[in-house]
Amino acid sequence: MTYQRNTISLLSKNFALRVIKLYKYLLEEKHEHIMSKQVYRSGTSIGANIAESRNAQSTADYINKLSIALKEADETMYWLELLNESGTIDVKQFESLSNDLNIIIGTLINIIKKLKERSE
């Protein structure tokens, strides 16, 4: 579990840094203010919830925090899809970000699933 937690923490932090750069790009180059804030909030919230999970008071609390991170990841994917389909970001940008996000989503699902199996 420690290795997974460290891996997901690193993945989510690196993704958050990419989202921050995307946010700056969207504001400065595309003059996009609404969706940029949404993707910024949800994209950085993934790692914040994972970081918060480190101090969970129980397995159920830990699962809950990771589940919130997963919800934020799903929301981030929604905003990335809108940015792509509206032509605000190109296919290459979308695929790069969504590939990283899919790894995070898959990792979170696996961790949550294993924790639930252990607690049963």
Side-chain angles (χ1 to χ4, degrees):
M1 188 162 77
T2 303
Y3 174 74
Q4 289 175 327
R5 186 169 60 210
N6 290 338
T7 299
I8 193 61
S9 295
L10 183 60
L11 289 170
S12 63
K13 189 176 208 175
N14 288 338
F15 183 76
L17 291 169
R18 291 193 69 197
V19 167
I20 292 167
K21 290 176 185 174
L22 174 65
Y23 174 74
K24 290 178 183 179
Y25 165 78
L26 291 171
L27 285 179
E28 295 169 7
E29 301 294 324
K30 298 290 186 169
H31 307 288
E32 204 307 306
H33 298 275
I34 306 300
M35 288 186 290
S36 63
K37 285 182 184 176
Q38 294 290 354
V39 76
Y40 178 85
R41 287 182 185 139
S42 62
T44 57
S45 181
I46 300 164
N49 281 289
I50 291 167
E52 193 175 331
S53 75
R54 289 185 213 133
N55 296 306
Q57 296 175 353
S58 66
T59 301
D61 188 31
Y62 184 55
I63 291 170
N64 184 53
K65 300 288 189 232
L66 293 181
S67 295
I68 294 168
L70 180 58
K71 289 178 184 179
E72 294 294 336
D74 285 338
E75 180 183 341
T76 303
M77 186 63 80
Y78 173 79
W79 292 115
L80 290 175
E81 288 170 356
L82 284 181
L83 287 165
N84 179 52
E85 292 172 24
S86 67
T88 309
I89 61 174
D90 62 35
V91 173
K92 185 177 177 182
Q93 290 169 309
F94 170 74
E95 287 178 351
S96 178
L97 287 160
S98 65
N99 286 340
D100 286 356
L101 188 52
N102 280 325
I103 292 169
I104 291 168
I105 290 169
T107 304
L108 284 168
I109 289 170
N110 286 335
I111 294 169
I112 293 166
K113 183 179 175 185
K114 286 178 184 175
L115 287 169
K116 285 182 177 179
E117 288 170 356
R118 288 181 194 161
S119 66
E120 291 176 353

